[in-house]
Amino acid sequence: MSTSLGQACTPDTFSPSIGGTDILSLEATPITGYNATVTAGSRFTAPDIDLVNAEFCNVTIQYTHANDSNHVITVEAWLPLHRDWNQRFLAVGGGGWNAGRSDFGRLAMSGAIADGFATIVTDAGLGEAADPSEWALVRPGEVDMINFRNQAYQALEDEALFGKALVQDFYGAAPSFSYFNGCSQGGRQGLLLAQRYPDLYDGIAAIAPAIYFTELLPYMAWGQQLMNERRQYPYACEIDAITAAALSACDGLDGVKDRLLSRVDECLATFDPHSMINKNIPCAQTEQGQMDITKVAADLVEEVWRGMPIMRNNQSSIYPGVSPGANLTGTDALPMLLGTACADGTCFGNLGPLAEGYIKYFLAKDPEAIFDTSMTREEFLDTIVARSREEYGAILDSSDPDLTAFHASGGKMVTWHGLMDPLIPHRATEDYYNAVAGISPDVQEFYRYFEAPGIEHCTGGPSQVPTKLFKQLQAWVEEGVAPDASDVQVKVGCATHERILCAYPKRAVYQEDCGDVSLAACWTCQ
């Protein structure tokens, strides 16, 4: 351990004072010889990187809010040595119900340290639990609204203020620039920060954001509701075969056959799932090892793609469905929208854990509750969909399209969303971006959205994440160079192709006279 780290990384170095909070404990621990292998999939906007023999100061604070001593929140900051610090601060977002402090969050922090950032995460007072069972209820029938608000927004403001105060104490200077990076729940957090706390961060990367969270979670149960109404639960092989056929039929809509779906609206308009009815397919789940695709499977796929009826701003609307390229079945352990489990030739619905936990703890408010498979559609839309937004929308959703204060503060934000995302429909992100543009016609001056063909949820799929995008966000914030396109690598068969993502509403178009679809230079944004 270097002498400077041992001398500086002590509790006496730090005296953060954040209005409205009471600090219960502050620990400062010198960390040396720290190694981590960080993948691009854990950073969403930056490349793979190895952290080797790192030294930093781990500062962990436990605190409460002054008017509430029963809810203890933890923030954990990693501060590199003075010589390794790039004079910048980066907060890391969460995923699922986790606010950020987790093994996955620490992996993202490792990447931040490798790049020279001072970095921080929060647990929002919820610990490191992946589901809300440990913190959602005060007692059956009563949601712990303090935990809920801390998770939704309050801890995010605290995190930024504590992080900047610790940076000031450790380095004797404020960060030159402050950034936030997160996907899914972390994407929701990023948008919410731009909306509620527009002057906390100079740059925000809000990836695959769970924007309309109180609509998204019921949508995750929509496929199950559709199956329950019919009392029919197709084999996964049927649903997967329809998805594969859609991908094959729509693959060439952009002029290139590469197993990447990039023209989602055109695909929805031209591919009919019912064209697959009675097609014979291999099916390992059946005793015969094969079967004919049923009409109910085609009906369900069509409805899930179409989306879910909602009321928004007192008007009938649709929460958009996932794209035809998205996996609708998942696995028995992690089912997706049309997940089923089958035994002895009989299948039944298999609800995903995010929707199940939300319905159980926040709508039914009963840890013993189960999803009612006998609900009519009207009952589902009323007791699940409408009630969700009415009770929690103002707290949890990050759907306010008015980003004028964020723009005025000089903030810049980037978002990308995978077109194969099976959890959060990319068209919800598109809807939000268009709503922002409706208020701010100059939206491109401060916010850019990139559709990402071939990427699933946050990572995965034939396409790599855009590993240069965070550096592009920095260049936008610090040099005024806005990103029009961002490079990606995609797997096409056994080959790796270079492609580009384009700032919406533009999209990548292949220049036929260029001659090589594998070169990024042969693609332009139009």
Side-chain angles (χ1 to χ4, degrees), residues 10-86:
T10 68
D12 292 340
T13 297
F14 303 98
S15 56
S17 178
I18 307 303
T21 66
D22 293 324
I23 294 177
L24 304 179
S25 66
L26 187 154
E27 298 179 358
T29 306
I31 304 296
T32 61
Y34 188 87
N35 301 300
T37 297
V38 186
T39 62
S42 63
R43 307 215 286 167
F44 321 120
T45 52
D48 297 347
I49 195 167
D50 287 324
L51 182 62
V52 180
N53 204 29
E55 293 183 277
F56 58 89
C57 182
N58 180 323
V59 184
T60 302
I61 298 174
Q62 290 191 320
Y63 70 95
T64 63
H65 290 112
N67 59 351
D68 170 49
S69 60
N70 295 320
H71 291 76
V72 178
I73 300 173
T74 303
V75 291
E76 181 177 348
W78 294 2
L79 308 173
L81 293 172
H82 288 62
R83 68 168 185 261
D84 298 327
W85 184 44
N86 65 9

Side-chain angles (χ1 to χ4, degrees), residues 104-278:
F104 190 83
R106 293 185 187 94
L107 196 60
M109 293 175 78
S110 298
I113 286 287
D115 286 335
F117 288 88
T119 184
I120 196 169
V121 287
T122 181
D123 75 347
L126 314 180
E128 300 189 23
D131 65 71
S133 60
E134 297 179 15
W135 57 267
L137 299 177
V138 177
R139 59 185 65 85
E142 182 181 352
V143 171
D144 191 326
M145 293 305 296
I146 294 176
N147 271 339
F148 196 83
R149 288 189 181 91
N150 285 337
Q151 192 270 353
Y153 61 87
Q154 183 59 64
L156 299 175
E157 181 186 31
D158 300 340
E159 174 186 37
L161 296 177
F162 273 118
K164 292 181 181 182
L166 295 175
V167 166
Q168 178 70 50
D169 288 342
F170 193 68
Y171 301 108
S176 299
F177 300 97
S178 297
Y179 295 91
F180 182 91
N181 184 48
C183 184
S184 192
Q185 174 68 254
R188 182 201 72 84
Q189 292 170 327
L191 289 183
L192 186 136
L193 285 161
Q195 294 161 18
R196 283 186 181 250
Y197 309 110
D199 59 351
L200 285 180
Y201 291 98
D202 302 295
I204 294 173
I207 312 307
I211 305 171
Y212 309 97
F213 208 29
T214 58
E215 296 170 355
L216 167 64
L217 292 168
Y219 173 71
M220 289 181 176
W222 179 235
Q224 299 295 312
Q225 173 63 27
L226 296 174
M227 290 189 287
N228 292 338
E229 290 173 12
R230 293 166 169 82
R231 292 291 183 266
Q232 292 180 286
Y233 305 89
Y235 290 103
C237 62
E238 299 180 73
I239 307 299
D240 292 342
I242 295 174
T243 299
L247 185 58
S248 177
C250 300
D251 178 15
L253 291 175
D254 61 356
V256 175
K257 284 279 190 178
D258 53 10
R259 300 293 296 168
L260 297 181
L261 173 59
S262 61
R263 303 293 189 261
V264 173
D265 290 342
E266 290 94 323
C267 185
L268 289 167
T270 58
F271 178 79
D272 182 1
H274 295 89
S275 65
M276 297 294 291
I277 295 174
N278 295 329

Side-chain angles (χ1 to χ4, degrees), residues 245-477:
L247 185 58
S248 177
C250 300
D251 178 15
L253 291 175
D254 61 356
V256 175
K257 284 279 190 178
D258 53 10
R259 300 293 296 168
L260 297 181
L261 173 59
S262 61
R263 303 293 189 261
V264 173
D265 290 342
E266 290 94 323
C267 185
L268 289 167
T270 58
F271 178 79
D272 182 1
H274 295 89
S275 65
M276 297 294 291
I277 295 174
N278 295 329
K279 291 282 181 71
N280 188 263
I281 59 169
C283 188
Q285 297 162 297
T286 65
E287 185 176 345
Q288 299 80 11
Q290 61 180 354
M291 69 171 297
D292 294 341
I293 293 176
T294 59
K295 180 179 183 299
V296 69
D299 289 344
L300 289 165
V301 169
E302 182 180 54
E303 284 209 66
V304 167
W305 285 351
R306 183 186 303 141
M308 180 182 69
I310 57 170
M311 290 294 294
R312 188 183 289 171
N313 301 322
N314 296 317
Q315 293 183 337
S316 297
S317 186
I318 294 289
Y319 182 82
V322 297
S323 85
N327 181 346
L328 296 179
T329 56
T331 65
D332 287 348
L334 188 60
M336 296 299 166
L337 295 168
L338 291 176
T340 58
C342 305
D344 300 325
T346 301
C347 299
F348 51 90
N350 193 9
L351 182 62
L354 281 172
E356 182 181 31
Y358 183 64
I359 292 169
K360 177 182 294 188
Y361 294 105
F362 297 105
L363 297 180
K365 305 178 178 66
D366 179 359
E368 303 301 321
I370 58 174
F371 183 53
D372 184 357
T373 61
S374 66
M375 280 188 291
T376 65
R377 181 168 301 198
E378 291 73 20
E379 289 171 334
F380 178 84
L381 294 177
D382 181 54
T383 62
I384 303 296
V385 182
R387 185 176 169 193
S388 172
R389 188 175 178 87
E390 288 168 4
E391 289 199 32
Y392 304 114
I395 300 172
L396 190 58
D397 288 346
S398 56
S399 55
D400 183 355
D402 186 353
L403 297 181
T404 52
F406 181 68
H407 184 199
S409 74
K412 301 290 189 289
M413 182 160 62
V414 295
T415 292
W416 67 258
H417 204 136
L419 300 191
M420 293 179 70
D421 194 326
L423 289 176
I424 303 178
H426 80 277
R427 288 185 290 162
T429 301
E430 180 183 319
D431 286 349
Y432 175 74
Y433 185 86
N434 288 333
V436 174
I439 293 175
S440 302
D442 57 354
V443 60
Q444 293 267 315
E445 293 182 7
F446 62 92
Y447 182 25
R448 300 208 171 185
Y449 162 54
F450 299 81
E451 291 183 341
I455 308 183
E456 297 171 354
H457 185 61
C458 296
T459 187
S463 177
Q464 175 66 281
V465 301
T467 57
K468 296 180 181 179
L469 189 57
F470 195 84
K471 286 292 187 184
Q472 291 177 293
L473 174 61
Q474 283 188 260
W476 195 11
V477 168

